[in-house]
Amino acid sequence: MTEESLQAFIQKYKDIIDKRLPELIDSLETPPNLKESMIYSLNAGGKRIRPLLMLAVLKAYDSLFDDAYDIACAAEMVHTYSLIHDDLPAMDDDDVRRGKPTNHKVFGEAIAILAGDALFTRSIEIMASETNSLSPEVKIRLISEFVKASGPEGMVGGQAADLNGEGKSLSLEELEYIHHHKTGDLLTYSIVAGAIMANAPEQDIEKLRSFAKALGLVFQIKDDILDVEGDASLIGKPVGSDDDKDKSTYPSLLTLEGAKKKLAYHAQEAKETLSKVSGNMALLNELTDYIVERDH
Amino acid sequence: MTEESLQAFIQKYKDIIDKRLPELIDSLETPPNLKESMIYSLNAGGKRIRPLLMLAVLKAYDSLFDDAYDIACAAEMVHTYSLIHDDLPAMDDDDVRRGKPTNHKVFGEAIAILAGDALFTRSIEIMASETNSLSPEVKIRLISEFVKASGPEGMVGGQAADLNGEGKSLSLEELEYIHHHKTGDLLTYSIVAGAIMANAPEQDIEKLRSFAKALGLVFQIKDDILDVEGDASLIGKPVGSDDDKDKSTYPSLLTLEGAKKKLAYHAQEAKETLSKVSGNMALLNELTDYIVERDH
């Protein structure tokens, strides 16, 4: 896999996801400002990492099919819903996300809360009702993994732990609990869902789950490093904003150099785990490098 | 069906639901304040109308089984999540619900938002992962109905329309759009879900859906009437609070007498539709009367 082909993969499938996401909302019969609010945040950019990981796994098994795009969009919708709720005044109180006003700054807090709620219900509706090429067994397995990753033992639990930890000095263990759940579980879901839809061997699914956990840490450590030394115009928020909020981060616990070492360690761990999976994992290997080396 | 047996039904199954709801949360590994917040609102009382309707339909077909209690609890969880979010300062800004401080007054706004989010994800998890006596086909059908009723074309859409209508004078059509979706769709789901789990004939399911739509209007018109002439100590909120918020209601659009006539009309419509359903609908008939005659 050359870098050109990775970039071609990202561009091709990011375009498909970017185009499909608003279509999946636009067809709804719902109050116009609620619909606009949902579409606004889906269209506000983003790397589409979760859909791309899911599609990359499907390609690794040569098993990409049409309904998989909508399952990939559902994962992006839940990510978007979590960002809308995280940005609320009662939560992180962010006015800007990816260089644009946050949802509640445009549509008001009440509609922003409901837009998040609606994106979540819509994501499940797509999985349950609008992907007819999947068997009920596969749908139920996907939905089970999805809600476990998104709920009180997953993303929402991680967000609560993150809020509880604000202004406190966390241990590395507490910080990793937060990241495993707040961002890691949905990344892991995306990879595992690709493998389930590809009908991958069960031992591959479990190895990909381990790979995904390491990749999730890589992703978060890199985010924390970018918050210290990134370019504000690329990352879409002010550099040093974690520090301003008195949040524990990998650099604050381990120093910037220590965080970079840990990033390299988990990147290596991820790639070694990946090497033990059957199927053609070259693209996922490249995606791992891309996540390590990204500048936003 | 005598009134005694209706009361016995309500008491018996309300107790089962009241006991089961916190158990379904207590087993979770999640931050303690998030868990407490979820349980607080589940334990804050409520008539458990949605679970009771679902179980009454199952009994009408002599088909009640253990996992149905958890499916009934999932419907109550989504109702509870909607109340937590509706009560937030950005939404209805209510300090008291059922005579107790609202969730965000006890746990703070951020945890209240997440408790709502977590109750919804948990409800789907129960349906997808923890009801093994149901086939994947039945689970997917239930989940499809459930998220349609809860999402942007259902409950969340109704709530957005309700917010958009505040301070405006609504037409009866606009008011009914709000109620059909904000409260009606989840009541309808509860009844339809009971029929699906009972493996009722498809024509019964569609008749029960029509019955449920009429019952949903009955329920909401009665709520509006109680807000005008109810006893604050029984309904758990100040009498006249809709009027204070400048909300359109059935009495404000139709006069109190007109609202009572409309209540009687839809109650009759509901009961006539019910009379055309196979199975023993005596209990549901009595429940309809109970909803019309309730004082809270």
Side-chain angles (χ1 to χ4, degrees):
Chain A
M1 178 71 47
T2 63
E3 192 171 327
E4 280 79 358
S5 61
L6 175 71
Q7 287 304 326
F9 167 82
I10 291 175
Q11 201 52 55
K12 175 176 176 183
Y13 291 102
K14 188 173 174 301
D15 282 353
I16 291 173
I17 296 296
D18 284 347
K19 181 166 177 291
R20 185 66 180 144
L21 278 167
E23 287 174 358
L24 287 166
I25 305 303
D26 203 45
S27 56
L28 297 174
E29 287 184 33
T30 193
N33 59 338
L34 181 64
K35 188 190 283 193
E36 282 167 37
S37 168
M38 295 166 80
I39 291 177
Y40 174 82
S41 287
L42 290 174
N43 280 348
K47 296 174 287 290
R48 314 301 191 198
I49 291 282
R50 293 154 193 79
L52 289 174
L53 286 169
M54 197 184 295
L55 299 177
V57 174
L58 281 155
K59 278 188 83 78
Y61 291 99
D62 207 11
S63 300
L64 192 49
F65 59 103
D66 278 357
D67 277 343
Y69 297 119
D70 286 0
I71 302 288
C73 285
E76 186 70 9
M77 283 181 193
V78 168
H79 174 57
T80 303
Y81 128 73
S82 78
L83 298 181
I84 295 172
H85 282 192
D86 283 6
D87 287 338
L88 287 167
M91 309 271 256
D92 287 356
D93 194 15
D94 280 316
D95 293 349
V96 176
R97 154 89 56 192
R98 296 168 182 159
K100 293 183 185 168
T102 45
N103 195 294
H104 65 272
K105 298 301 284 183
V106 179
F107 297 93
E109 274 181 66
I111 291 295
I113 293 168
L114 294 175
D117 294 349
L119 282 168
F120 187 67
T121 43
R122 178 65 181 145
S123 70
I124 304 278
E125 187 181 28
I126 291 164
M127 298 175 75
S129 317
E130 297 175 19
T131 48
N132 293 327
S133 66
L134 295 167
S135 71
E137 287 78 7
V138 167
K139 286 182 184 187
I140 283 294
R141 188 165 176 196
L142 291 175
I143 292 171
S144 294
E145 293 271 356
F146 188 50
V147 291
K148 181 95 176 170
S150 311
E153 297 188 313
M155 188 180 76
V156 172
Q159 173 65 359
D162 193 18
L163 284 165
N164 292 339
E166 268 181 42
K168 288 181 199 157
S169 175
L170 299 181
S171 67
L172 188 61
E173 193 185 352
E174 290 169 324
L175 186 69
E176 301 219 321
Y177 175 92
I178 291 170
H179 293 317
H180 268 309
H181 296 300
K182 186 174 172 177
T183 54
D185 286 345
L186 192 58
L187 288 169
T188 300
Y189 159 76
S190 301
I191 288 168
V192 167
I196 290 170
M197 285 191 285
N199 202 19
E202 289 300 321
Q203 63 268 34
D204 276 15
I205 294 177
E206 290 320 307
K207 278 181 198 132
L208 283 166
R209 199 186 291 278
S210 301
F211 159 73
K213 282 183 185 170
L215 187 69
L217 283 178
V218 165
F219 191 80
Q220 188 59 49
I221 298 166
K222 181 70 184 188
D223 251 13
D224 284 0
I225 291 171
L226 284 172
D227 188 72
V228 176
E229 60 172 25
D231 178 334
S233 68
L234 292 175
I235 63 179
K237 63 176 183 176
V239 170
S241 62
D242 291 341
D243 207 35
D244 290 348
K245 286 180 186 146
D246 202 13
K247 282 203 168 186
S248 295
T249 65
Y250 287 97
S252 75
L253 286 186
L254 302 174
T255 76
L256 185 57
E257 196 189 356
K260 287 181 179 177
K261 274 189 190 155
K262 195 168 165 65
L263 176 72
Y265 172 82
H266 288 298
Q268 185 60 28
E269 183 191 16
K271 293 175 76 161
E272 276 179 17
T273 309
L274 197 60
S275 71
K276 295 173 192 151
V277 181
S278 78
N280 177 5
M281 296 294 144
L283 186 61
L284 277 169
N285 202 57
E286 293 283 325
L287 264 168
T288 305
D289 288 335
Y290 169 75
I291 286 170
V292 173
E293 288 155 20
R294 71 202 162 97
D295 56 13
H296 65 286
Chain B
M1 177 72 45
T2 64
E3 192 170 329
E4 282 79 358
S5 61
L6 175 72
Q7 287 304 325
F9 167 82
I10 291 174
Q11 201 53 55
K12 176 176 174 184
Y13 291 102
K14 188 173 174 303
D15 283 353
I16 290 172
I17 296 297
D18 283 348
K19 181 167 176 291
R20 185 65 180 145
L21 278 167
E23 287 174 359
L24 287 166
I25 305 302
D26 203 46
S27 56
L28 297 174
E29 287 185 33
T30 193
N33 59 338
L34 181 64
K35 188 190 284 192
E36 282 167 37
S37 167
M38 295 165 80
I39 291 177
Y40 174 83
S41 287
L42 290 174
N43 280 348
K47 297 174 287 291
R48 314 302 190 198
I49 291 283
R50 292 153 194 81
L52 289 173
L53 286 169
M54 197 184 297
L55 298 177
V57 174
L58 282 155
K59 278 187 82 77
Y61 291 98
D62 207 12
S63 299
L64 192 49
F65 59 103
D66 277 358
D67 276 343
Y69 297 119
D70 286 1
I71 301 287
C73 284
E76 187 69 10
M77 283 181 192
V78 168
H79 174 57
T80 303
Y81 128 73
S82 77
L83 299 180
I84 295 172
H85 281 192
D86 282 6
D87 287 338
L88 288 167
M91 309 270 256
D92 288 355
D93 194 16
D94 279 316
D95 293 349
V96 175
R97 155 88 57 191
R98 295 167 182 159
K100 294 183 185 168
T102 46
N103 195 293
H104 64 273
K105 298 302 284 184
V106 180
F107 297 93
E109 273 182 68
I111 291 295
I113 293 168
L114 294 175
D117 294 348
L119 282 168
F120 186 67
T121 43
R122 178 64 180 145
S123 69
I124 304 279
E125 187 181 28
I126 290 164
M127 298 175 76
S129 317
E130 297 175 21
T131 48
N132 293 327
S133 66
L134 295 168
S135 70
E137 287 78 6
V138 168
K139 286 182 184 187
I140 283 294
R141 188 165 177 195
L142 291 175
I143 291 170
S144 294
E145 294 271 355
F146 188 51
V147 292
K148 181 94 176 170
S150 311
E153 297 189 314
M155 186 180 77
V156 173
Q159 173 65 0
D162 194 18
L163 283 166
N164 292 339
E166 270 182 40
K168 289 180 197 157
S169 176
L170 299 181
S171 67
L172 188 61
E173 193 184 353
E174 290 168 324
L175 187 69
E176 301 219 321
Y177 175 91
I178 291 170
H179 293 318
H180 268 308
H181 295 300
K182 186 174 172 178
T183 54
D185 285 345
L186 192 58
L187 288 169
T188 300
Y189 160 77
S190 301
I191 287 167
V192 168
I196 290 170
M197 286 190 285
N199 201 20
E202 290 299 322
Q203 63 266 35
D204 276 15
I205 293 177
E206 291 318 307
K207 279 181 196 130
L208 284 166
R209 199 186 292 278
S210 301
F211 159 72
K213 282 184 183 169
L215 187 69
L217 283 178
V218 165
F219 191 82
Q220 187 59 50
I221 298 166
K222 181 69 184 188
D223 252 14
D224 284 359
I225 291 171
L226 284 172
D227 188 73
V228 176
E229 60 173 23
D231 179 334
S233 68
L234 291 175
I235 62 179
K237 63 176 183 176
V239 169
S241 61
D242 290 342
D243 207 35
D244 291 349
K245 286 180 186 146
D246 201 14
K247 282 202 169 187
S248 295
T249 65
Y250 287 97
S252 74
L253 285 186
L254 302 174
T255 76
L256 185 57
E257 196 188 355
K260 286 181 180 179
K261 274 189 189 156
K262 194 167 166 65
L263 177 71
Y265 172 82
H266 288 297
Q268 185 60 27
E269 183 191 16
K271 294 176 76 160
E272 276 179 17
T273 308
L274 197 59
S275 71
K276 295 172 192 151
V277 181
S278 78
N280 178 4
M281 296 294 144
L283 186 60
L284 277 169
N285 202 56
E286 292 283 326
L287 264 168
T288 305
D289 289 335
Y290 169 76
I291 286 170
V292 173
E293 288 155 18
R294 70 201 163 97
D295 56 11
H296 67 287

